[in-house]
């Protein structure tokens, strides 16, 4: 078996196990068994379980930086992709919801962070950053740009952003627990975004 492939298989198996039963409850033996190798072989790739977790966090951060709109867009510097209509906003946000729910690595990493946030201070900070701070910052910048362009009326942009994005975060968590409710959540998200625009849309003079 190729050494590079085995290392990646260890990471993937570990993430799957950590996302279901947590870091502490997962043993090296379970990881090795999931990959189909001996514990001794696993130790030739990673010094210990903490080293596996460290590598997973690094990989999660790299994927997050490369693919998440919350990490990549800075509305203060670049508003060229600003969705200025309710339908455009619905398409953008629903697309990100689908990505968050269905990308295997992102989905498992999110579930791992949810489990580990009360056990591991480092992962608690990462959970707050990815699932609250960055999301609220992204939508605050989004709302500010819409206000500047006269699309939304003047109000507190951070409160407006919270009203827009935090229900969506709750619905994503609901889908994690009950995947069969995704269609319902997508419909709710669309209605929610359109209502947000109706409530705050700048009235024509």
């Amino acid at each position: 078996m190729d050494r590079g492939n085995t290392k990646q298989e260890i990471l993937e198996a570990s993430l799957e196990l950590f996302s279901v039963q947590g870091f502490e409850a997962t043993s090296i033996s379970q990881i090795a068994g999931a990959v189909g190798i001996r514990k001794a072989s696993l130790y030739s790739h990673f010094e210990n379980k903490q080293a596996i977790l460290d590598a997973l966090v690094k990989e999660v951060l790299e994927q997050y930086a490369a693919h998440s709109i919350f990490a990549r867009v800075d509305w203060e510097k670049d508003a060229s992709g600003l969705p200025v209509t309710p339908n455009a906003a619905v398409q953008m946000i629903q697309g990100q919801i689908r990505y968050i729910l269905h990308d295997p690595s992102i989905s498992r990493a999110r579930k791992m962070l949810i489990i580990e946030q009360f056990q591991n201070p480092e992962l608690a900070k990462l959970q707050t950053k990815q699932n609250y701070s960055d999301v609220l910052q992204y939508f605050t910048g989004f709302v500010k740009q819409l206000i500047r362009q006269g699309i939304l009326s003047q109000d507190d942009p951070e409160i407006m952003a919270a009203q827009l994005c935090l229900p969506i975060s709750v619905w994503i968590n609901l889908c994690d627990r009950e995947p069969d409710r995704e269609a319902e959540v997508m419909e709710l998200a669309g209605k929610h975004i359109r209502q947000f625009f109706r409530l705050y849309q700048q009235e024509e003079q």
Side-chain angles (χ1 to χ4, degrees), residues 69-141:
I69 61 172
F70 306 130
R72 290 183 293 118
V73 176
D74 184 348
W75 295 124
E76 301 294 330
K77 296 179 180 178
D78 181 16
S80 60
L82 187 72
V84 297
T85 67
N87 285 339
V90 168
Q91 289 182 357
M92 178 197 75
I93 294 170
Q94 285 183 334
Q96 186 67 9
I97 292 172
R98 289 189 186 96
Y99 166 69
I100 287 170
L101 290 176
H102 293 291
D103 181 274
S105 295
I106 296 300
S107 176
R108 290 169 185 157
R110 182 178 65 259
K111 292 172 184 176
M112 178 184 72
L113 291 179
I114 290 171
I115 293 172
E116 292 299 320
Q117 62 185 317
F118 301 111
Q119 309 292 333
N120 185 312
E122 179 187 1
L123 296 187
K125 290 179 182 178
L126 184 56
Q127 161 76 347
T128 299
K129 171 180 168 56
Q130 290 193 358
N131 296 293
Y132 176 74
S133 304
D134 285 357
V135 175
L136 188 59
Q137 181 179 9
Y138 170 90
F139 278 102
T140 300

Side-chain angles (χ1 to χ4, degrees), residues 51-83:
I52 296 174
L53 181 63
D54 292 342
L56 278 175
V57 170
K58 181 175 182 292
E59 191 171 85
V60 166
L61 288 172
E62 289 172 352
Q63 289 197 25
Y64 177 74
H67 299 294
S68 175
I69 61 172
F70 306 130
R72 290 183 293 118
V73 176
D74 184 348
W75 295 124
E76 301 294 330
K77 296 179 180 178
D78 181 16
S80 60
L82 187 72

